[in-house]
Amino acid sequence: MTCTDHSGSGGAGGSGSSEQMEAGARAWPQARVLAQALAMLTITAHRLSQCPGPDARSAGSALGAALAHPHVASLRLSLLQTLWQQAGMEEGTCSAGEYGGTNDDPRLSLYHHNTAIATVGMWQNGRLGLLTAPDDARLPPEPGVPPGLQLARAAARTAEALCRLSRGEGLAGAYTAEQRRQRFYGESCLHTLLPPQPPWKPQSPEEYPHWVESSAWVVAAACEGLEAAAAGQQRPGEPEADVAGSAAAVSLAKALVAGLRGFTAATDLDTVPQTARQQETLAVCLCRAGLTASLDHALRLAFAAADRAAAPGASDHDRRLAEALGSVLPWAGGVLPLLNMCELAAVCDVGGVALTLAKHASLIARGLDAAEPGLPGATPASLRGPVASAPACLAEALGQCAELLGPAASGLAAWDHGAATEPPSAGGSRSSAAGGAVEEERGAFFFQAAGRLAVRLVADRAAVELGPDERHSLSLPALTRKSSATALSACLQHVSALSAAPGSRAEARLLACQPHRLIGAACKLLIVWQVTGTPSDETEYRSNLQRDVSFTADRLAAHPSLSARVRRWLMPAGPQQAVAAGAEAASAGAEAEAAGAESERGCLEQAWSEGWRSYNRWALADGSPFSLPLTLLRLAQAGGAGWRAMEAAAESDAAFRSGATELLRWAKSVVADGSLQPLRVPEELLRDPSDTSGPEGGHAAAAALRAPLPPPLQAPPEGRALPKLRVCGFPGCGSFGGRSEGGLALKQCGGCKAVRYCGPGCQRAHWREGHKSECGALAEAAARAAAAGANE
């Protein structure tokens, strides 16, 4: 098929001879007019078919019949094949020069736009009943290929062709900025390449990978167009161009959201690929389309648009664009579990998405920390964006992304499936040794940011006055409950995996995740469910969180280096006690360490006690119920012996660690094979959980919810140094330019070489906010990591 075939003249294949160029020059005006006419007739037939009057519907049917004529169908196929050939997807060569024009002809992109509408778009409308035509106005059939599968393939190839042309990867070269800007005046071109919305289902599972691939190419093409539209908006002195560019940008934003929504158009269990071959096909399609890179690009475009719209003096265009992109985050969060459901984590690298989400989470959590005290859940106006629940949607996306990051995400989940093995080390083994350090640092950055946001969401929302007669007045939105539980569970699993990893850096990373704050927030959420009741659709979230926080705390309590710290967290808070240090004078460093240890004392006792008050999932060999979490609490407090008695016992920490190790061993054996082995713990510690009924229980729950979270730990510098990771190290960085964080021109701090910055503004701000005092310590930590080969 040559480039002149679409004009109806046919011809043998060629490779750009002078005769072919001359023929193309003569055919180009006719081809352009034909594509435009067919596109207009397609839209007209659709509108007539939807009119209520019988005359309009009759006219629409007649027009549809004409468009479905075999000769017209052959012409449409020629147009479509020419588009594919120009994009470099068919054999032979085909360039704009063969049309007698140049690659910067602004009509070239509109010609491709009209071709998509007149070919795949017409067939889509016919198949969905939006256009009345024989055989759904399909293209000439491929032998042995079902119509639905043929349409899905054509849609995917057309979407890929448009994206390739936008990127300059086709034989016709790159679209110019003017061509890009003019290409999308309406939404119909890209929208016609997406799968129909539910309750429509593909006729066969073979269609599904191609519709998903088409959605991925649509997202990529829309991102390309948005960048071009933004460049067009910056040209001064052209008000008409600005208006057109603004309309194009909003249209592209809507197409981008529709592309993300296309992934969920047919994701029930009947259509999601079930066989290994179907999943392999889907993996190949998504990798070729660059889905995760497009997700990263889309998220950054949405975050940047929201930031511009919230800035003083924002234009009406900025606000409309931010509103159109407002649902990118929740839809992107909906795509991530699809990758996990189809077992595509190994082939779809979500590292860039993880960094962008984590950077945004750090910014949002920073804003929530700075919100006006006394207003639970208050979000600064500059951070709300067009979606009121954006922080909760972000937490949900973080939780879904965590499942795709690698071994650390599996953590304790394997225990529920009968595995008695230890959680894998947090460093992971999915990459080479060279890439392992980057993956480990990326996980550190991600889970620290995700945990900070989830903890702040729960603490702010749960800090509600709860009187004795208002047991059911607590209002924690369902989205916040579920998304926070998802993110907290992921972070707790990560902490648990770190506790099993060897080396001092793993312990430093663990402390940088602020595990006591994760545990405290999880307990607050358990109290909320305990007080208000657990809706049926949240039972699994509550069960998962109970499992993760219980086992994580037990693992930390059994850790040789952390056991004493966990015991301190669970001790009753009391008057200041001097740490026994002998009669000799203590150094300033020892005094500071002692003061820090004392400030941690009892920071979890109240929340832990109330969070597990009515939890009695466990049972002993004789069938009597008991609370494993409360047994851990009583072990820490030595059955209520008090702080002085515990301090007087030289081996109190060792005894607590031994008891925690026994609890962990027993619980793992029960989960692994259900065997009820003897539990070697003092019998007086194995009591039933207390009753929560009555006013006293209500007062205690309210007090635990109102109590502030534990103060942050000062994590060792090894836990915060990220010398290999390409991400801006300033927690308040709100710059989301570029297609990915790793693609930015980041520069390392000249002092420590342990953090990078996207610009001097972020570097100066971070210096003022604390990096000045820690730069030297981070430099030493980075040097130690480099000496150890960045791999323990």
Side-chain angles (χ1 to χ4, degrees):
M1 183 69 64
T2 68
C3 290
T4 56
D5 280 351
H6 59 70
S7 66
S9 58
S15 58
S17 64
S18 59
E19 294 84 1
Q20 195 173 26
M21 298 281 279
E22 292 178 3
R26 294 191 299 271
W28 162 235
Q30 289 81 8
R32 177 173 56 81
V33 171
L34 280 171
Q36 182 179 16
L38 285 172
M40 292 180 63
L41 290 172
T42 299
I43 296 172
T44 301
H46 163 60
R47 292 176 177 173
L48 288 172
S49 298
Q50 303 306 306
C51 288
D55 292 340
R57 289 198 298 270
S58 177
S61 298
L63 182 54
L67 292 173
H69 191 280
H71 291 173
V72 178
S74 297
L75 173 62
R76 291 165 50 216
L77 179 59
S78 296
L79 288 171
L80 188 59
Q81 290 174 330
T82 300
L83 170 61
W84 296 343
Q85 192 177 40
Q86 275 198 294
M89 299 166 60
E90 296 280 279
E91 294 182 1
T93 61
C94 189
S95 68
E98 293 182 50
Y99 289 108
T102 60
N103 286 349
D104 62 356
D105 189 330
R107 296 170 295 181
L108 183 62
S109 57
L110 294 177
Y111 163 70
H112 294 150
H113 171 91
N114 289 328
T115 296
I117 296 174
T119 55
V120 177
M122 186 188 300
W123 190 356
Q124 273 275 53
N125 285 338
R127 192 183 189 199
L128 297 176
L130 302 177
L131 180 152
T132 305
D135 296 326
D136 299 333
R138 61 171 297 177
L139 294 171
E142 295 180 23
V145 179
L149 180 58
Q150 182 185 352
L151 175 58
R153 288 176 176 175
R157 288 178 62 79
T158 304
E160 179 182 0
L162 293 175
C163 186
R164 287 172 59 87
L165 288 166
S166 294
R167 293 174 174 173
E169 297 173 353
L171 297 177
Y175 285 153
T176 65
E178 178 66 15
Q179 287 175 327
R180 287 184 177 183
R181 187 181 64 80
Q182 290 198 14
R183 179 177 162 196
F184 297 105
Y185 283 112
E187 303 173 27
S188 54
C189 175
L190 291 179
H191 279 259
T192 56
L193 304 176
L194 295 171
Q197 292 302 298
W200 171 86
K201 296 180 181 179
Q203 295 178 351
S204 67
E206 286 74 17
E207 296 180 32
Y208 182 76
H210 301 287
W211 282 122
V212 173
E213 181 186 5
S214 184
S215 299
W217 285 116
V218 165
V219 171
C223 289
E224 297 285 344
L226 276 172
E227 285 195 345
Q233 281 284 302
Q234 299 173 2
R235 299 182 304 175
E238 299 184 38
E240 292 184 1
D242 288 345
V243 172
S246 176
V250 173
S251 172
L252 281 164
K254 294 178 179 178
L256 170 56
V257 172
L260 293 173
R261 192 171 59 239
F263 286 94
T264 60
T267 55
D268 59 51
L269 296 179
D270 293 332
T271 54
V272 170
Q274 300 292 324
T275 67
R277 181 176 179 181
Q278 291 171 352
Q279 291 181 355
E280 182 180 358
T281 301
L282 182 58
V284 170
C285 291
L286 293 182
C287 287
R288 183 171 62 242
L291 170 63
T292 52
S294 296
L295 274 182
D296 193 7
H297 194 187
L299 287 166
R300 298 180 73 83
L301 288 169
F303 295 155
D307 185 60
R308 288 194 303 270
S315 66
D316 181 62
H317 163 70
D318 291 332
R319 288 188 288 270
R320 289 193 299 117
L321 182 60
E323 182 178 1
L325 290 171
S327 54
V328 165
L329 176 59
W331 281 115
V335 172
L336 294 173
L338 172 62
L339 300 180
N340 191 51
M341 185 188 310
C342 297
E343 300 181 5
L344 301 178
V347 294
C348 294
D349 181 12
V350 297
V353 176
L355 281 183
T356 295
L357 288 174
K359 179 177 178 178
H360 193 53
S362 180
L363 180 65
I364 295 295
R366 177 185 173 91
L368 293 173
D369 287 341
E372 183 179 352
L375 293 179
T379 307
S382 62
L383 299 180
R384 289 178 189 151
V387 181
S389 57
C393 288
L394 178 57
E396 176 72 16
L398 289 164
Q400 298 293 351
C401 189
E403 295 188 23
L404 297 166
L405 281 181
S410 62
L412 301 170
W415 290 15
D416 280 348
H417 296 86
T421 57
E422 294 290 315
S425 65
S429 58
R430 291 171 55 198
S431 60
S432 64
V438 176
E439 188 171 90
E440 183 264 333
E441 291 184 7
R442 182 176 62 202
F445 180 81
F446 177 86
F447 285 104
Q448 289 173 29
R452 183 181 178 187
L453 176 65
V455 163
R456 175 51 56 194
L457 279 177
V458 172
D460 283 358
R461 294 288 186 176
V464 177
E465 188 71 26
L466 187 65
D469 297 325
E470 299 172 319
R471 299 287 301 278
H472 301 285
S473 65
L474 184 61
S475 177
L476 189 61
L479 178 59
T480 302
R481 289 195 301 267
K482 292 190 285 189
S483 62
S484 299
T486 300
L488 283 173
S489 284
C491 293
L492 288 165
Q493 291 177 17
H494 180 69
V495 166
S496 182
L498 284 170
S499 69
S504 60
R505 193 170 72 250
E507 184 179 326
R509 294 282 194 231
L510 185 156
L511 293 175
C513 288
Q514 306 296 327
H516 63 320
R517 289 169 66 86
L518 293 173
I519 293 172
C523 288
K524 282 178 178 286
L525 192 49
L526 295 180
I527 295 171
V528 169
W529 275 315
Q530 178 178 283
V531 171
T532 63
T534 307
S536 58
D537 62 336
E538 297 177 27
T539 301
E540 184 177 0
Y541 291 89
R542 180 181 183 181
S543 177
N544 290 341
L545 188 60
Q546 287 173 328
R547 174 203 66 202
D548 293 329
V549 70
S550 176
F551 276 114
T552 300
D554 211 349
R555 289 188 62 82
L556 296 179
H559 194 283
S561 301
L562 301 173
S563 177
R565 201 160 202 161
V566 175
R567 174 174 160 261
R568 205 158 52 230
W569 295 343
L570 295 175
M571 288 297 298
Q576 294 285 332
Q577 298 285 345
V579 177
E584 64 275 11
S587 66
E591 290 177 352
E593 184 178 352
E598 183 61 30
S599 68
E600 296 177 25
R601 178 185 160 197
C603 66
L604 289 180
E605 192 271 340
Q606 183 184 37
W608 189 268
S609 298
E610 294 303 317
W612 299 105
R613 182 180 289 275
S614 61
Y615 182 72
N616 60 351
R617 172 187 172 187
W618 303 94
L620 298 174
D622 60 3
S624 59
F626 83 104
S627 174
L628 188 147
L630 291 183
T631 299
L632 182 67
L633 178 68
R634 294 172 188 131
L635 275 172
Q637 300 176 358
W643 176 260
R644 290 185 181 276
M646 292 293 288
E647 286 298 317
E651 299 181 355
S652 57
D653 287 341
F656 172 68
R657 181 169 65 254
S658 176
T661 302
E662 170 63 14
L663 287 178
L664 184 63
R665 179 202 63 80
W666 184 86
K668 288 169 61 177
S669 67
V670 171
V671 173
D673 54 21
S675 62
L676 292 175
Q677 302 175 8
L679 180 57
R680 297 184 292 270
V681 173
E683 186 176 349
E684 62 269 18
L685 302 183
L686 304 177
R687 296 196 300 265
D688 292 343
S690 304
D691 187 13
T692 60
S693 61
E696 291 185 2
H699 285 304
L705 291 173
R706 290 194 300 267
L709 286 168
L713 302 173
Q714 183 61 37
E718 288 85 354
R720 294 175 282 117
L722 304 171
K724 302 291 186 182
L725 190 64
R726 295 191 58 81
V727 65
C728 184
F730 176 45
C733 177
S735 174
F736 289 94
R739 297 168 183 260
S740 67
E741 190 72 13
L744 298 180
L746 302 172
K747 295 185 178 180
Q748 280 186 322
C749 171
C752 64
K753 309 291 186 183
V755 291
R756 287 179 167 83
Y757 299 104
C758 63
C762 282
Q763 186 169 12
R764 286 193 294 267
H766 199 203
W767 186 261
R768 291 192 300 267
E769 292 190 12
H771 186 64
K772 178 180 179 180
S773 62
E774 68 176 8
C775 188
L778 288 176
E780 295 177 2
R784 286 192 295 270
N791 242 332
E792 290 185 337

